[in-house]
Coordinates of all heavy atoms in Angstrom, one line a residue:
M9 N 18.2 52.8 4.3 CA 17.8 51.4 4.2 C 17.1 51.2 2.8 O 16.1 52.0 2.6 CB 17.0 50.9 5.3 CG 16.5 49.5 5.1 SD 15.7 48.7 6.5 CE 17.0 48.7 7.7
I10 N 17.5 50.2 2.1 CA 16.8 49.9 0.8 C 15.6 49.1 1.1 O 15.7 48.1 1.8 CB 17.7 49.2 -0.2 CG1 19.0 50.1 -0.5 CG2 17.0 48.8 -1.4 CD1 20.0 49.3 -1.3
I11 N 14.4 49.5 0.6 CA 13.2 48.7 0.7 C 12.7 48.5 -0.7 O 12.5 49.5 -1.4 CB 12.2 49.5 1.6 CG1 12.8 49.7 3.0 CG2 10.9 48.7 1.7 CD1 11.9 50.6 3.9
T12 N 12.5 47.2 -1.1 CA 12.1 47.0 -2.4 C 11.1 45.8 -2.5 O 11.0 44.9 -1.6 CB 13.3 46.6 -3.3 OG1 12.9 46.4 -4.6 CG2 14.1 45.4 -2.8
T13 N 10.3 45.8 -3.5 CA 9.3 44.7 -3.8 C 10.0 43.5 -4.5 O 9.4 42.4 -4.5 CB 8.1 45.2 -4.6 OG1 8.6 45.7 -5.9 CG2 7.3 46.2 -3.9
T14 N 11.2 43.7 -5.0 CA 11.9 42.7 -5.7 C 12.6 41.8 -4.7 O 12.8 42.1 -3.5 CB 12.9 43.3 -6.7 OG1 13.9 44.0 -6.0 CG2 12.2 44.1 -7.7
N15 N 13.0 40.6 -5.2 CA 13.7 39.6 -4.3 C 15.2 39.8 -4.2 O 15.9 39.1 -3.5 CB 13.4 38.2 -4.7 CG 11.9 37.9 -4.4 OD1 11.3 38.4 -3.5 ND2 11.3 37.2 -5.3
S16 N 15.7 40.8 -5.0 CA 17.1 41.0 -5.0 C 17.3 42.5 -5.2 O 16.4 43.3 -5.6 CB 17.8 40.3 -6.2 OG 17.3 40.7 -7.4
I17 N 18.5 43.0 -5.0 CA 18.9 44.4 -5.2 C 20.0 44.5 -6.2 O 21.1 44.0 -6.0 CB 19.3 45.1 -3.8 CG1 18.1 44.9 -2.8 CG2 19.7 46.5 -4.0 CD1 18.5 45.3 -1.4
E18 N 19.7 45.1 -7.3 CA 20.7 45.2 -8.4 C 22.0 45.8 -7.9 O 22.0 46.9 -7.2 CB 20.2 46.0 -9.5 CG 21.0 46.0 -10.8 CD 20.4 46.6 -12.0 OE1 19.2 46.7 -12.0 OE2 21.1 47.0 -12.9
G19 N 23.1 45.2 -8.1 CA 24.4 45.7 -7.7 C 24.8 45.4 -6.3 O 25.9 45.8 -5.8
K20 N 23.9 44.7 -5.6 CA 24.2 44.4 -4.2 C 24.0 42.8 -4.0 O 23.3 42.2 -4.7 CB 23.2 45.0 -3.2 CG 23.1 46.5 -3.3 CD 24.3 47.2 -2.6 CE 24.2 48.7 -2.7 NZ 25.3 49.3 -2.1
E21 N 24.8 42.3 -3.1 CA 24.7 40.9 -2.8 C 24.1 40.7 -1.4 O 24.6 41.3 -0.4 CB 26.1 40.2 -2.9 CG 26.0 38.7 -2.8 CD 27.4 38.1 -3.0 OE1 28.3 38.7 -3.6 OE2 27.6 36.9 -2.6
I22 N 23.1 39.8 -1.3 CA 22.6 39.5 0.0 C 23.5 38.5 0.7 O 23.8 37.4 0.1 CB 21.1 39.0 -0.1 CG1 20.2 40.1 -0.7 CG2 20.6 38.4 1.2 CD1 18.8 39.7 -1.0
S23 N 23.9 38.8 1.9 CA 24.8 37.9 2.6 C 24.1 37.0 3.7 O 24.5 36.0 4.0 CB 26.0 38.6 3.3 OG 25.5 39.5 4.2
E24 N 22.9 37.6 4.1 CA 22.2 36.8 5.2 C 20.7 37.2 5.1 O 20.4 38.4 5.0 CB 22.8 37.2 6.5 CG 22.1 36.5 7.7 CD 22.6 37.0 9.0 OE1 23.7 37.7 9.1 OE2 22.0 36.7 10.1
Y25 N 19.9 36.2 5.2 CA 18.4 36.5 5.4 C 18.1 36.4 6.9 O 18.3 35.4 7.5 CB 17.6 35.4 4.6 CG 17.8 35.5 3.1 CD1 18.8 34.9 2.4 CD2 16.9 36.3 2.4 CE1 19.0 35.0 1.1 CE2 17.0 36.4 1.0 CZ 18.0 35.8 0.4 OH 18.2 35.9 -1.0
I26 N 17.7 37.5 7.4 CA 17.4 37.6 8.9 C 16.0 37.1 9.2 O 15.9 36.3 10.2 CB 17.6 39.0 9.4 CG1 19.0 39.5 9.1 CG2 17.2 39.1 10.8 CD1 19.3 40.9 9.4
G27 N 15.0 37.5 8.5 CA 13.7 37.0 8.7 C 12.6 38.0 8.3 O 13.0 39.1 7.8
I28 N 11.4 37.7 8.4 CA 10.3 38.5 8.0 C 10.0 39.6 9.0 O 10.1 39.4 10.2 CB 9.0 37.7 7.8 CG1 9.2 36.6 6.8 CG2 7.8 38.5 7.4 CD1 8.1 35.5 6.7
V29 N 9.8 40.8 8.5 CA 9.5 42.0 9.3 C 8.1 42.5 8.8 O 7.8 42.4 7.6 CB 10.6 43.0 9.3 CG1 11.8 42.6 10.1 CG2 11.0 43.4 7.9
Y30 N 7.4 43.2 9.7 CA 6.1 43.7 9.4 C 5.9 45.1 9.8 O 6.6 45.6 10.7 CB 5.0 42.8 10.2 CG 5.0 41.4 9.9 CD1 5.8 40.5 10.6 CD2 4.3 40.9 8.8 CE1 5.8 39.1 10.3 CE2 4.3 39.5 8.5 CZ 5.1 38.7 9.3 OH 5.1 37.3 9.0
G31 N 5.0 45.8 9.2 CA 4.5 47.1 9.7 C 3.0 47.1 9.5 O 2.4 46.6 8.5
E32 N 2.3 47.5 10.6 CA 0.8 47.5 10.6 C 0.3 48.9 11.1 O 0.9 49.4 12.1 CB 0.2 46.4 11.5 CG 0.7 45.0 11.2 CD 1.9 44.6 12.1 OE1 2.4 45.4 12.9 OE2 2.4 43.5 11.9
V33 N -0.7 49.4 10.5 CA -1.3 50.6 10.9 C -2.8 50.5 10.7 O -3.3 50.0 9.7 CB -0.8 51.8 10.1 CG1 -1.6 53.1 10.5 CG2 0.7 52.1 10.4
I34 N -3.6 50.8 11.8 CA -5.0 50.9 11.7 C -5.4 52.3 12.0 O -5.0 52.8 13.1 CB -5.7 49.9 12.6 CG1 -5.3 48.4 12.3 CG2 -7.2 50.1 12.6 CD1 -5.9 47.4 13.2
S35 N -6.0 52.9 11.1 CA -6.3 54.4 11.2 C -7.8 54.6 11.0 O -8.4 54.1 10.1 CB -5.5 55.1 10.1 OG -5.7 56.4 10.1
G36 N -8.3 55.4 11.9 CA -9.7 55.8 11.8 C -9.9 57.0 10.9 O -9.0 57.9 10.9
V37 N -11.0 57.1 10.2 CA -11.3 58.2 9.4 C -12.3 59.0 10.1 O -13.4 58.5 10.4 CB -11.7 57.7 8.0 CG1 -12.0 58.9 7.1 CG2 -10.7 56.8 7.3
N38 N -12.1 60.3 10.3 CA -13.0 61.1 11.1 C -14.3 61.4 10.3 O -14.4 61.3 9.1 CB -12.3 62.4 11.6 CG -12.0 63.4 10.6 OD1 -12.7 63.5 9.6 ND2 -10.9 64.1 10.8
F39 N -15.2 62.0 11.0 CA -16.6 62.3 10.5 C -16.5 63.2 9.3 O -17.2 63.0 8.3 CB -17.4 62.9 11.6 CG -18.8 63.4 11.1 CD1 -19.8 62.5 10.8 CD2 -19.0 64.7 11.0 CE1 -21.0 62.9 10.3 CE2 -20.2 65.2 10.5 CZ -21.2 64.3 10.2
L40 N -15.7 64.2 9.4 CA -15.7 65.2 8.3 C -15.1 64.6 7.0 O -15.6 64.8 5.9 CB -14.9 66.4 8.7 CG -15.5 67.3 9.8 CD1 -14.5 68.4 10.1 CD2 -16.8 67.8 9.3
K41 N -14.1 63.7 7.1 CA -13.6 63.1 5.9 C -14.6 62.1 5.4 O -14.8 62.0 4.2 CB -12.3 62.3 6.3 CG -11.1 63.2 6.5 CD -9.9 62.4 6.8 CE -8.7 63.4 7.1 NZ -7.5 62.6 7.6
D42 N -15.3 61.4 6.3 CA -16.4 60.5 5.9 C -17.5 61.3 5.1 O -18.0 60.8 4.1 CB -17.0 59.8 7.1 CG -16.9 58.3 7.1 OD1 -16.3 57.8 6.1 OD2 -17.3 57.7 8.0
L43 N -17.9 62.4 5.6 CA -18.9 63.3 5.0 C -18.5 63.7 3.6 O -19.2 63.6 2.6 CB -19.2 64.5 5.9 CG -20.3 65.4 5.3 CD1 -21.6 64.7 5.2 CD2 -20.4 66.6 6.3
G44 N -17.2 64.2 3.5 CA -16.7 64.6 2.2 C -16.6 63.5 1.2 O -16.9 63.7 0.0
A45 N -16.2 62.3 1.7 CA -16.1 61.1 0.8 C -17.5 60.7 0.3 O -17.7 60.3 -0.8 CB -15.4 60.0 1.5
G46 N -18.5 60.8 1.2 CA -19.9 60.5 0.8 C -20.4 61.4 -0.3 O -21.0 61.0 -1.2
L47 N -20.1 62.7 -0.2 CA -20.5 63.6 -1.2 C -19.8 63.3 -2.5 O -20.4 63.4 -3.6 CB -20.2 65.1 -0.7 CG -21.1 65.6 0.4 CD1 -20.6 66.9 0.9 CD2 -22.5 65.6 0.0
R48 N -18.5 63.0 -2.4 CA -17.7 62.6 -3.6 C -18.3 61.4 -4.3 O -18.3 61.3 -5.5 CB -16.3 62.4 -3.3 CG -15.5 63.6 -2.8 CD -15.1 64.5 -4.0 NE -14.2 65.5 -3.6 CZ -14.5 66.7 -3.1 NH1 -15.8 67.0 -3.0 NH2 -13.6 67.6 -2.8
D49 N -18.8 60.5 -3.5 CA -19.4 59.2 -4.0 C -20.7 59.6 -4.8 O -20.9 59.0 -5.8 CB -19.7 58.3 -2.8 CG -20.0 56.9 -3.3 OD1 -19.5 56.5 -4.3 OD2 -20.8 56.2 -2.6
I50 N -21.4 60.5 -4.3 CA -22.7 60.9 -5.0 C -22.4 61.8 -6.2 O -22.9 61.5 -7.3 CB -23.6 61.7 -4.0 CG1 -24.0 60.8 -2.9 CG2 -24.8 62.3 -4.8 CD1 -24.7 61.6 -1.8
F51 N -21.5 62.8 -6.1 CA -21.3 63.7 -7.2 C -20.1 63.4 -8.1 O -19.9 64.0 -9.1 CB -21.2 65.1 -6.6 CG -22.4 65.6 -5.9 CD1 -22.4 65.7 -4.5 CD2 -23.6 65.8 -6.6 CE1 -23.5 66.2 -3.9 CE2 -24.7 66.3 -6.0 CZ -24.7 66.4 -4.6
G52 N -19.2 62.5 -7.6 CA -18.0 62.1 -8.4 C -16.8 62.9 -7.9 O -17.0 63.9 -7.2
G53 N -15.7 62.5 -8.3 CA -14.4 63.2 -8.0 C -13.6 62.4 -7.0 O -14.0 61.4 -6.5
R54 N -12.5 62.9 -6.7 CA -11.5 62.3 -5.8 C -11.8 62.8 -4.3 O -12.2 63.9 -4.1 CB -10.1 62.6 -6.2 CG -9.7 62.0 -7.5 CD -8.4 62.4 -8.0 NE -7.3 62.0 -7.1 CZ -6.1 62.0 -7.5 NH1 -5.7 62.5 -8.6 NH2 -5.1 61.6 -6.6
S55 N -11.5 61.9 -3.4 CA -11.7 62.2 -2.0 C -10.3 62.5 -1.4 O -9.5 61.6 -1.0 CB -12.3 61.1 -1.2 OG -12.3 61.4 0.2
A56 N -10.0 63.8 -1.3 CA -8.6 64.2 -0.8 C -8.4 63.8 0.6 O -7.3 63.4 1.0 CB -8.5 65.7 -1.0
G57 N -9.5 63.8 1.4 CA -9.3 63.4 2.8 C -9.0 61.9 3.0 O -8.1 61.6 3.7
Y58 N -9.6 61.1 2.2 CA -9.3 59.7 2.2 C -7.9 59.4 1.6 O -7.1 58.6 2.1 CB -10.3 58.8 1.5 CG -11.5 58.5 2.3 CD1 -12.6 57.7 1.7 CD2 -11.7 58.8 3.7 CE1 -13.7 57.4 2.5 CE2 -12.8 58.5 4.4 CZ -13.8 57.7 3.8 OH -14.9 57.4 4.5
E59 N -7.6 60.1 0.6 CA -6.2 59.9 0.0 C -5.1 60.3 0.9 O -4.1 59.6 1.0 CB -6.1 60.7 -1.3 CG -7.0 60.2 -2.5 CD -6.9 61.0 -3.7 OE1 -6.3 62.1 -3.7 OE2 -7.6 60.6 -4.7
E60 N -5.3 61.4 1.6 CA -4.3 61.9 2.6 C -4.2 60.8 3.7 O -3.1 60.5 4.2 CB -4.7 63.2 3.2 CG -4.6 64.4 2.3 CD -5.2 65.7 2.8 OE1 -5.5 65.7 4.0 OE2 -5.3 66.6 2.0
E61 N -5.3 60.3 4.2 CA -5.2 59.3 5.2 C -4.5 58.0 4.8 O -3.8 57.4 5.5 CB -6.7 59.0 5.7 CG -6.7 58.2 7.0 CD -6.1 58.9 8.2 OE1 -6.3 60.1 8.3 OE2 -5.4 58.3 9.0
L62 N -4.8 57.6 3.5 CA -4.1 56.4 3.0 C -2.6 56.7 2.8 O -1.9 55.8 3.2 CB -4.7 56.1 1.6 CG -4.1 55.0 0.8 CD1 -4.3 53.7 1.6 CD2 -4.8 54.8 -0.5
I63 N -2.2 57.8 2.4 CA -0.8 58.1 2.2 C -0.1 58.1 3.6 O 0.9 57.5 3.8 CB -0.6 59.5 1.5 CG1 -1.0 59.4 0.1 CG2 0.8 60.0 1.7 CD1 -1.2 60.7 -0.7
H64 N -0.8 58.7 4.6 CA -0.2 58.7 5.9 C -0.1 57.3 6.5 O 0.9 57.0 7.1 CB -1.1 59.6 6.8 CG -0.7 59.6 8.3 ND1 0.5 60.3 8.7 CD2 -1.2 59.1 9.4 CE1 0.6 60.2 10.0 NE2 -0.4 59.4 10.4
A65 N -1.2 56.5 6.4 CA -1.1 55.2 6.9 C -0.1 54.3 6.2 O 0.7 53.6 6.9 CB -2.5 54.5 6.8
R66 N 0.1 54.5 4.9 CA 1.1 53.7 4.2 C 2.5 54.1 4.6 O 3.3 53.2 4.9 CB 0.9 53.9 2.7 CG 1.8 53.2 1.8 CD 1.6 53.3 0.3 NE 1.5 54.7 -0.1 CZ 0.6 55.2 -0.9 NH1 -0.3 54.5 -1.3 NH2 0.6 56.5 -1.2
T67 N 2.7 55.4 4.8 CA 4.0 55.9 5.2 C 4.4 55.4 6.6 O 5.5 54.9 6.8 CB 4.1 57.4 5.2 OG1 3.8 57.8 3.8 CG2 5.4 58.0 5.6
E68 N 3.4 55.4 7.5 CA 3.6 54.9 8.9 C 3.9 53.4 8.9 O 4.8 53.0 9.6 CB 2.4 55.2 9.7 CG 2.2 56.7 10.1 CD 3.4 57.2 10.9 OE1 3.7 56.6 11.9 OE2 3.9 58.3 10.6
A69 N 3.2 52.6 8.1 CA 3.4 51.2 8.0 C 4.9 50.9 7.5 O 5.5 50.0 8.1 CB 2.4 50.5 7.2
I70 N 5.3 51.6 6.5 CA 6.6 51.4 6.0 C 7.7 51.8 7.0 O 8.7 51.0 7.3 CB 6.9 52.2 4.7 CG1 6.0 51.6 3.5 CG2 8.3 52.2 4.3 CD1 5.9 52.5 2.3
E71 N 7.5 52.9 7.7 CA 8.4 53.3 8.8 C 8.5 52.3 9.9 O 9.6 52.1 10.5 CB 8.1 54.7 9.3 CG 8.4 55.8 8.3 CD 9.9 55.8 7.8 OE1 10.7 55.8 8.7 OE2 10.1 55.9 6.6
E72 N 7.3 51.8 10.3 CA 7.3 50.8 11.3 C 8.1 49.5 10.9 O 8.9 49.0 11.7 CB 5.9 50.4 11.7 CG 5.7 49.5 12.8 CD 4.3 49.2 13.2 OE1 3.6 50.2 13.6 OE2 3.8 48.1 13.0
M73 N 7.9 49.0 9.7 CA 8.6 47.9 9.2 C 10.1 48.2 9.2 O 10.9 47.3 9.6 CB 8.1 47.5 7.8 CG 8.8 46.3 7.3 SD 8.3 45.8 5.6 CE 8.9 47.2 4.7
K74 N 10.5 49.3 8.7 CA 11.9 49.7 8.6 C 12.5 49.7 10.0 O 13.6 49.2 10.2 CB 12.0 51.1 8.0 CG 13.3 51.7 7.8 CD 13.3 53.0 7.2 CE 14.6 53.8 7.2 NZ 14.5 55.1 6.6
A75 N 11.8 50.3 11.0 CA 12.4 50.3 12.4 C 12.6 48.9 12.9 O 13.6 48.6 13.6 CB 11.4 51.1 13.3
R76 N 11.6 48.0 12.6 CA 11.8 46.6 13.1 C 13.0 45.9 12.4 O 13.7 45.2 13.0 CB 10.5 45.9 12.8 CG 9.4 46.3 13.8 CD 8.1 45.6 13.5 NE 7.1 46.0 14.5 CZ 5.8 45.8 14.4 NH1 5.3 45.1 13.3 NH2 5.0 46.2 15.3
A77 N 13.2 46.3 11.1 CA 14.3 45.7 10.4 C 15.6 46.2 11.0 O 16.6 45.5 11.2 CB 14.2 46.0 8.9
Q78 N 15.7 47.5 11.3 CA 16.9 48.1 11.9 C 17.2 47.5 13.3 O 18.3 47.2 13.6 CB 16.7 49.6 12.0 CG 16.8 50.3 10.7 CD 16.4 51.8 10.8 OE1 15.7 52.2 11.6 NE2 17.0 52.6 9.8
N79 N 16.1 47.2 14.0 CA 16.3 46.5 15.3 C 16.9 45.2 15.3 O 17.5 44.7 16.2 CB 14.9 46.5 16.1 CG 14.5 47.8 16.6 OD1 15.3 48.7 16.7 ND2 13.2 48.0 16.9
V80 N 16.8 44.5 14.1 CA 17.4 43.1 14.0 C 18.7 43.2 13.2 O 19.2 42.2 12.8 CB 16.4 42.1 13.4 CG1 15.2 41.9 14.4 CG2 15.9 42.5 12.0
G81 N 19.1 44.4 12.9 CA 20.4 44.6 12.2 C 20.4 44.5 10.7 O 21.4 44.2 10.1
A82 N 19.3 44.6 10.1 CA 19.2 44.5 8.7 C 19.7 45.8 7.9 O 19.7 46.9 8.5 CB 17.7 44.3 8.3
D83 N 20.2 45.5 6.7 CA 20.6 46.6 5.9 C 19.6 47.0 4.8 O 19.6 48.1 4.2 CB 21.9 46.2 5.1 CG 23.1 45.9 6.0 OD1 23.3 46.6 7.0 OD2 23.7 44.9 5.7
A84 N 18.7 46.0 4.6 CA 17.7 46.2 3.5 C 16.5 45.3 3.8 O 16.6 44.4 4.6 CB 18.3 45.9 2.1
I85 N 15.4 45.6 3.1 CA 14.2 44.7 3.1 C 13.8 44.4 1.7 O 13.6 45.3 0.9 CB 13.0 45.4 3.9 CG1 13.5 45.9 5.2 CG2 11.8 44.4 4.0 CD1 12.5 46.8 5.9
V86 N 13.7 43.1 1.4 CA 13.4 42.7 0.0 C 12.0 42.0 0.0 O 11.5 41.5 1.1 CB 14.5 41.8 -0.6 CG1 15.8 42.6 -0.7 CG2 14.7 40.5 0.2
G87 N 11.4 41.8 -1.2 CA 10.2 41.1 -1.3 C 9.0 41.7 -0.6 O 8.1 41.0 -0.1
C88 N 8.9 43.0 -0.5 CA 7.9 43.7 0.2 C 6.5 43.5 -0.5 O 6.4 43.6 -1.7 CB 8.2 45.1 0.4 SG 9.6 45.4 1.5
K89 N 5.5 43.4 0.4 CA 4.1 43.3 -0.1 C 3.2 44.1 0.8 O 3.4 44.0 2.0 CB 3.6 41.8 -0.1 CG 2.2 41.7 -0.7 CD 1.8 40.2 -0.7 CE 0.5 40.0 -1.4 NZ -0.6 40.7 -0.8
M90 N 2.4 44.9 0.2 CA 1.5 45.8 1.0 C 0.0 45.4 0.7 O -0.3 45.1 -0.4 CB 1.8 47.2 0.7 CG 1.0 48.2 1.6 SD 1.5 49.9 1.3 CE 3.2 49.9 1.9
D91 N -0.8 45.4 1.8 CA -2.2 45.1 1.7 C -3.0 46.2 2.4 O -2.5 46.8 3.4 CB -2.5 43.8 2.3 CG -2.0 42.6 1.5 OD1 -2.4 42.6 0.3 OD2 -1.3 41.8 2.1
Y92 N -4.2 46.5 1.9 CA -5.1 47.4 2.4 C -6.4 46.8 2.7 O -6.9 46.0 1.9 CB -5.4 48.6 1.4 CG -4.1 49.2 0.9 CD1 -3.4 48.8 -0.2 CD2 -3.6 50.4 1.5 CE1 -2.3 49.4 -0.7 CE2 -2.5 51.0 1.1 CZ -1.8 50.5 0.0 OH -0.7 51.1 -0.5
E93 N -7.1 47.1 3.9 CA -8.4 46.6 4.2 C -9.2 47.7 4.9 O -8.6 48.6 5.5 CB -8.3 45.4 5.2 CG -7.5 44.2 4.7 CD -8.3 43.4 3.6 OE1 -9.6 43.5 3.6 OE2 -7.7 42.8 2.8
V94 N -10.5 47.6 4.8 CA -11.3 48.5 5.6 C -11.9 47.7 6.7 O -12.3 46.5 6.5 CB -12.4 49.2 4.8 CG1 -11.8 50.2 3.9 CG2 -13.2 48.2 4.0
L95 N -12.0 48.3 7.9 CA -12.5 47.6 9.1 C -13.6 48.4 9.7 O -13.8 49.6 9.4 CB -11.4 47.4 10.1 CG -10.2 46.6 9.7 CD1 -9.1 46.8 10.7 CD2 -10.5 45.2 9.4
G96 N -14.3 47.8 10.7 CA -15.3 48.6 11.5 C -16.7 48.4 10.9 O -16.9 48.0 9.7
Q97 N -17.7 48.6 11.7 CA -19.1 48.4 11.3 C -19.4 49.3 10.0 O -20.1 48.8 9.1 CB -20.0 48.8 12.4 CG -20.0 47.8 13.5 CD -20.9 48.2 14.7 OE1 -21.1 49.4 14.9 NE2 -21.5 47.3 15.3
A98 N -19.0 50.5 10.0 CA -19.3 51.3 8.8 C -18.1 51.4 7.8 O -18.1 52.2 6.9 CB -19.6 52.7 9.3
G99 N -17.1 50.6 8.0 CA -16.0 50.6 7.1 C -15.2 51.9 7.3 O -14.5 52.4 6.4
S100 N -15.2 52.4 8.5 CA -14.5 53.7 8.8 C -13.1 53.6 9.3 O -12.5 54.6 9.6 CB -15.3 54.6 9.7 OG -15.4 53.9 11.0
M101 N -12.6 52.4 9.4 CA -11.2 52.2 9.8 C -10.4 51.6 8.6 O -10.9 50.8 7.9 CB -11.1 51.2 10.9 CG -11.9 51.6 12.2 SD -11.2 53.0 13.0 CE -9.8 52.2 13.8
L102 N -9.2 52.1 8.4 CA -8.3 51.7 7.3 C -7.2 50.9 7.9 O -6.5 51.4 8.8 CB -7.8 52.9 6.6 CG -6.8 52.6 5.5 CD1 -7.3 51.8 4.4 CD2 -6.2 54.0 5.0
M103 N -6.9 49.7 7.4 CA -5.8 48.9 7.9 C -4.8 48.8 6.8 O -5.2 48.4 5.7 CB -6.2 47.6 8.4 CG -5.0 46.7 8.8 SD -5.5 45.1 9.6 CE -6.1 44.2 8.2
V104 N -3.5 49.1 7.0 CA -2.5 49.0 6.0 C -1.4 48.1 6.7 O -1.0 48.3 7.8 CB -1.8 50.3 5.6 CG1 -0.7 50.1 4.7 CG2 -2.9 51.3 5.1
T105 N -1.1 47.0 6.0 CA 0.0 46.1 6.4 C 1.0 45.9 5.3 O 0.7 45.9 4.2 CB -0.6 44.7 6.8 OG1 -1.2 44.1 5.7 CG2 -1.6 44.8 7.9
I106 N 2.2 45.8 5.8 CA 3.3 45.6 4.8 C 4.3 44.6 5.5 O 4.5 44.6 6.7 CB 4.1 46.9 4.5 CG1 5.1 46.6 3.4 CG2 4.7 47.6 5.7 CD1 5.7 47.9 2.8
S107 N 4.8 43.7 4.6 CA 5.8 42.7 5.1 C 6.9 42.5 4.1 O 6.7 42.8 2.9 CB 5.1 41.4 5.4 OG 4.6 40.8 4.2
G108 N 8.0 42.1 4.6 CA 9.1 41.9 3.7 C 10.2 41.1 4.4 O 10.0 40.8 5.6
T109 N 11.3 40.7 3.8 CA 12.3 39.9 4.4 C 13.5 40.8 4.7 O 14.1 41.5 3.8 CB 12.8 38.8 3.4 OG1 11.6 38.0 3.1 CG2 13.9 37.9 4.1
A110 N 13.9 40.9 5.9 CA 15.0 41.7 6.4 C 16.3 40.9 6.0 O 16.4 39.7 6.2 CB 15.0 41.9 7.9
V111 N 17.2 41.6 5.4 CA 18.5 41.0 4.9 C 19.7 41.9 5.3 O 19.6 43.1 5.5 CB 18.5 40.8 3.4 CG1 17.3 39.8 3.0 CG2 18.4 42.1 2.6
K112 N 20.8 41.2 5.3 CA 22.1 41.9 5.4 C 22.8 41.9 4.0 O 22.6 40.9 3.3 CB 23.0 41.2 6.4 CG 22.7 41.5 7.9 CD 23.9 41.2 8.7 CE 23.7 41.7 10.1 NZ 24.0 43.1 10.2
L113 N 23.4 42.9 3.7 CA 24.1 43.0 2.4 C 25.6 42.9 2.6 O 26.2 43.3 3.6 CB 23.8 44.4 1.7 CG 22.3 44.6 1.5 CD1 22.1 46.0 0.9 CD2 21.7 43.6 0.5
K114 N 26.3 42.5 1.5 CA 27.8 42.4 1.6 C 28.3 43.8 1.2 O 27.7 44.6 0.5 CB 28.3 41.4 0.5 CG 28.2 40.0 1.1 CD 29.0 39.1 0.1 CE 28.9 37.7 0.7 NZ 29.6 36.7 -0.1

C-alpha cells in the first residue's frame, strides 16, 4: 500500500476517495528510559531510549492506519499528517497520531 504526504501519487490515478483513516498510539515511557533521558538533559546528548520509543510508536500508528485503510478496501493513503504530543502528569506518555485519506487507484 502506498502511503504518502502528498495529495496525489505520481504515475497513478485516484479513482475513488473512500474517506479519512487514522492511526493512534499512546505509549508509556518506563522509569529507566526516563532516568536516562534526564541525565542526557543535564549532560547533553541524544536519548536513545526515547528515540526508540518514538520510532516504535510512529511505526505502530502507521501500521494501524494502514490496516484501517485495507479494511475499507483502499489501495493507498494520500495527504498523511502525523502529530506528536506528550501526555500525563510528568509528561511520561507519548501520543502519536496519523491521518490520511484512503483512496482507490485505477
Side-chain angles (χ1 to χ4, degrees):
M9 176 171 296
I10 298 171
I11 300 173
T12 181
T13 58
T14 61
N15 293 323
S16 61
I17 301 169
E18 189 172 337
K20 304 285 184 182
E21 187 177 340
I22 295 172
S23 63
E24 180 183 350
Y25 291 87
I26 299 171
I28 300 171
V29 288
Y30 302 90
E32 306 93 359
V33 172
I34 299 176
S35 180
V37 181
N38 70 35
F39 173 74
L40 293 176
K41 287 181 185 175
D42 243 359
L43 180 62
L47 293 173
R48 293 280 188 274
D49 195 30
I50 294 169
F51 298 110
R54 294 172 65 168
S55 172
Y58 275 179
E59 288 176 1
E60 289 170 13
E61 193 61 40
L62 177 60
I63 291 166
H64 177 72
R66 182 175 53 225
T67 301
E68 289 294 313
I70 291 169
E71 288 302 314
E72 184 175 295
M73 181 184 68
K74 180 179 170 183
R76 289 177 177 168
Q78 288 171 331
N79 286 340
V80 295
D83 299 318
I85 307 168
V86 297
C88 291
K89 182 177 185 304
M90 188 172 290
D91 288 306
Y92 305 88
E93 297 288 335
V94 290
L95 305 170
Q97 289 178 324
S100 61
M101 303 289 285
L102 172 66
M103 178 175 70
V104 178
T105 59
I106 185 168
S107 63
T109 303
V111 298
K112 282 198 169 285
L113 303 174
K114 282 189 178 178

